[in-house]
Amino acid sequence: MQEQTQDAAPLAGPAAAPTTATTTGPGPASTAVRRNPVQRRSAERVERILSACAVLLDEVGYTALTTKEVARRAEVPIGTLYQFFPGKDGLLGALATRNLERYTDRLSRRIAAESPRDIGTLVDLAVEEFVAMRRAVPGFGVVDFGAVGREDPTARHLLDTEIDNNTAVADRLWALTGGLLDPAASRLAGRVALECADAVLRLAFRTDPDGDPALIAECKRVLRRYLGSRTD
């Protein structure tokens, strides 16, 4: 294995399957996961690797992250890590997909429990679940559904090899809107809404580690008004 502490593997999106996540992502499978675990023991190891990666991201950020330290924290041989991931970028991609799967699962449960009757209420649920994960999930502030603040071309394709992260997320969220948006409304509206939310929520957590309440409320207001206009 060449330079196991130097992660030069190409970045690719983990829509292929981030261990326990499904492969129901919005686009073609990626190469973030080199081999999907079949046995429970392997699946548990991969989950442990991703969880260790998430904790380390909070401690050192993605620039200083190494596969060697992730393996040590996860208590697995470095060779085991490379059986499943081609390198650090593969880890980030798989973690981003795990985050997206967990987010859409949480949001789906909220929708099922509360049965929102208008797009404004759905917007509130979507923002609230993101904020809750941002506050509580290890590594989410560094890698939510993409490497936060990292704008190089490869980082923009953590979730999908062909479309950028925000487009992939917008497609997943669009599928959860049900009949609350006019079917004729362009999917572009979902992408625009997501870009707005991404920018404002980043600002909210840059201003306040727990998320500035005023900016979070303003994010909801902007999305309510914009998407509400698409239901006319």
Side-chain angles (χ1 to χ4, degrees):
M1 187 73 64
Q2 292 183 341
E3 294 291 327
Q4 289 178 333
T5 60
Q6 182 178 15
D7 307 300
L11 183 64
T19 71
T20 58
T22 65
T23 57
T24 56
S30 74
T31 58
V33 176
R34 175 170 280 165
R35 178 170 67 85
N36 292 324
V38 177
Q39 298 179 344
R40 172 179 286 184
R41 182 181 178 187
S42 295
E44 289 174 348
R45 280 185 171 182
V46 171
E47 275 297 297
R48 200 158 70 242
I49 290 168
L50 289 180
S51 295
C53 178
V55 171
L56 275 167
L57 284 170
D58 280 337
E59 295 178 11
V60 304
Y62 49 71
T63 301
L65 187 79
T66 65
T67 54
K68 181 178 180 180
E69 182 60 17
V70 171
R72 189 187 73 80
R73 289 287 188 95
E75 299 182 337
V76 300
I78 187 68
T80 297
L81 185 150
Y82 277 101
Q83 285 179 8
F84 296 102
F85 303 100
K88 182 169 77 174
D89 288 332
L91 280 170
L92 297 182
L95 185 61
T97 296
R98 187 175 78 166
N99 287 340
L100 179 57
E101 294 293 339
R102 290 181 175 181
Y103 172 72
T104 54
D105 181 66
R106 288 171 62 126
L107 182 55
S108 296
R109 291 173 185 272
R110 286 286 301 276
I111 291 171
E114 301 183 32
S115 301
R117 296 180 178 274
D118 57 77
I119 194 64
T121 305
L122 181 58
V123 161
D124 287 353
L125 297 182
V127 171
E128 288 164 9
E129 286 305 314
F130 180 90
V131 168
M133 289 187 69
R134 177 64 177 78
R135 289 171 175 166
V137 175
F140 199 77
V142 184
V143 174
D144 46 26
F145 313 131
V148 177
R150 181 177 159 189
E151 301 299 336
D152 56 279
T154 51
R156 290 196 292 269
H157 291 272
L158 280 174
L159 293 171
D160 193 286
T161 57
E162 296 184 2
I163 59 177
D164 64 85
N165 299 327
N166 278 355
T167 298
V169 176
D171 281 351
R172 291 292 296 274
L173 294 181
W174 187 269
L176 298 180
T177 61
L180 296 179
L181 279 175
D182 186 335
S186 171
R187 270 194 145 117
L188 181 61
R191 171 62 190 272
V192 170
L194 188 68
E195 291 289 346
C196 291
D198 187 30
V200 177
L201 290 174
R202 281 194 197 189
L203 177 61
F205 282 94
R206 189 162 65 244
T207 304
D208 181 338
D210 290 324
D212 184 287
L215 285 170
I216 292 170
E218 200 64 16
C219 180
K220 290 180 179 180
R221 186 194 307 273
V222 169
L223 298 182
R224 276 174 164 266
R225 291 187 176 181
Y226 174 65
L227 290 176
S229 71
R230 306 296 296 186
T231 62
D232 297 336

